[in-house]
Amino acid sequence: MSDRLHRFLFEHADVRGEVVQLDDAFAEIVRRTDHEPAVVRLIGEGLAAVALLAATLKYPCALTLQLQARGPLTLLLVQAASDGSLRAMAHARQPVPDDAPLDAQASDGTLAITIEPESGGERYQGVVDLAGGSLSAALEHYFRESEQLLTRVWLSAREDHAAGMLIQRLPASEVAGGDADAWSRAEQLAATITGHELRELAPGEVIRRLFHEEDIRLFDPMPFRFRCRCSRERVAAMLQGLGEQEMREILEEQGQVEVHCDFCNEPYRFDAVDIEALFTDPAVRSPDSGESH
């Protein structure tokens, strides 16, 4: 089944892992954009990355991966929520070289991981420089610097298929018993995976082929899907924040105010009646005045 993340654990050892494949969500996000192949692949890798990262968290939250750089790619922003929803956006100021190292695609860049608890608790953010020439290498750098956890990440995206795998060494306090060589074996075995295998083989088959000699515990798969959190109400609130004068100037020049969501490209149009309603106190609005539509 597509758009599923499969978690696994080495029994009596210090290793856990995940394999994710995203087909429908990736394809839907790409369908709504007009990016060149190099940017599409980075979006696919970013989607697989946030799915892997979100599944490692122990409490409901929203997780954001943000890559900012001087160019050619200037922004990659990918988000995952605990309900399995995914969305992504990217900006480039000039053509992004295909199959080039990440530091050539996004020069002088930084990678930020932001975690926002759904309960409203303290927000966490870790920021690292891009390192290693790929998004997977940058994520490994993030785990070393911000989490102090030995972590390996593999990401691959082509056409409508995005996939990823993560293995992580657990803190010693979380391990009952002990297999001192488990992490070394897991790392060596996982490193034999190819991007094609990661995208095309079922996650269970990937795990079986790599670790068939290990005592593995599999967990129920976690579903993911594309869902944008934009809405007409949120766009209206944003327009109110820009101010009445600016909205009326746009109306006079263009006849309507049109906003496209950066994530899903959904258009939101506000005519003169809509703008009047946004900036009219409901307490004094006449009964027959127009409402947003």
Side-chain angles (χ1 to χ4, degrees), residues 39-290:
V39 178
V40 168
R41 282 195 281 274
L42 284 171
I43 288 174
E45 291 183 4
L47 289 167
V50 295
L52 293 169
L53 295 176
T56 67
L57 301 174
K58 298 179 180 179
Y59 49 87
C61 67
L63 187 144
T64 301
L65 179 153
Q66 182 171 324
L67 187 159
Q68 288 185 293
R70 294 183 180 273
L73 183 77
T74 56
L75 176 68
L76 173 66
L77 185 63
V78 193
Q79 296 180 327
S82 294
D83 65 358
S85 61
L86 298 167
R87 65 177 186 169
M89 60 177 284
H91 290 159
R93 63 161 51 111
Q94 63 192 76
V96 178
D98 204 5
D99 291 327
L102 185 60
D103 55 1
Q105 297 174 323
S107 59
D108 299 322
T110 58
L111 178 70
I113 305 295
T114 305
I115 299 168
E116 298 181 77
E118 294 180 358
S119 61
E122 185 176 355
R123 177 176 176 267
Y124 166 81
Q125 184 177 72
V127 182
V128 295
D129 294 333
L130 297 182
S134 66
L135 185 57
S136 57
L139 285 170
E140 293 174 356
H141 178 55
Y142 162 79
F143 274 105
R144 285 194 305 271
E145 297 296 320
S146 297
E147 303 291 334
Q148 286 80 54
L149 289 173
L150 288 175
T151 305
R152 295 295 313 277
V153 180
W154 292 263
L155 302 170
S156 183
R158 289 290 187 276
E159 299 175 346
D160 293 338
H161 305 288
M165 180 171 67
L166 174 150
I167 60 170
Q168 193 169 73
R169 186 171 187 173
L170 296 167
S173 60
E174 297 185 21
V175 181
D179 181 344
D181 298 324
W183 171 252
S184 177
R185 291 199 312 275
E187 192 174 15
Q188 292 175 14
L189 292 168
T192 64
I193 193 72
T194 67
H196 177 79
E197 291 171 336
L198 198 54
R199 296 190 311 272
E200 301 298 333
L201 296 177
E205 180 67 8
V206 170
I207 296 168
R208 188 192 68 79
R209 286 195 182 192
L210 292 177
F211 309 116
H212 64 277
E213 294 185 354
E214 305 293 335
D215 186 7
I216 297 291
R217 185 196 313 175
L218 295 174
F219 298 86
D220 291 337
M222 177 181 178
F224 283 92
R225 70 189 188 285
F226 164 73
R227 185 174 74 86
C228 190
R229 298 196 295 273
C230 71
S231 68
R232 188 173 180 84
E233 290 73 22
R234 291 190 178 196
V235 174
M238 181 269 292
L239 296 181
Q240 286 177 313
L242 293 175
E244 183 175 0
Q245 180 177 348
E246 183 172 346
M247 292 303 99
R248 294 196 182 282
E249 289 175 355
I250 296 175
L251 270 178
E252 184 176 350
E253 179 182 341
Q254 302 180 11
Q256 66 176 1
V257 177
E258 182 169 334
V259 177
H260 288 253
C261 174
D262 282 335
F263 284 97
C264 67
N265 205 33
E266 186 73 19
Y268 293 92
R269 300 180 179 88
F270 296 77
D271 60 19
V273 175
D274 297 324
I275 297 301
E276 184 69 30
L278 287 181
F279 295 100
T280 300
D281 188 339
V284 300
R285 191 182 300 164
S286 61
D288 58 349
S289 64

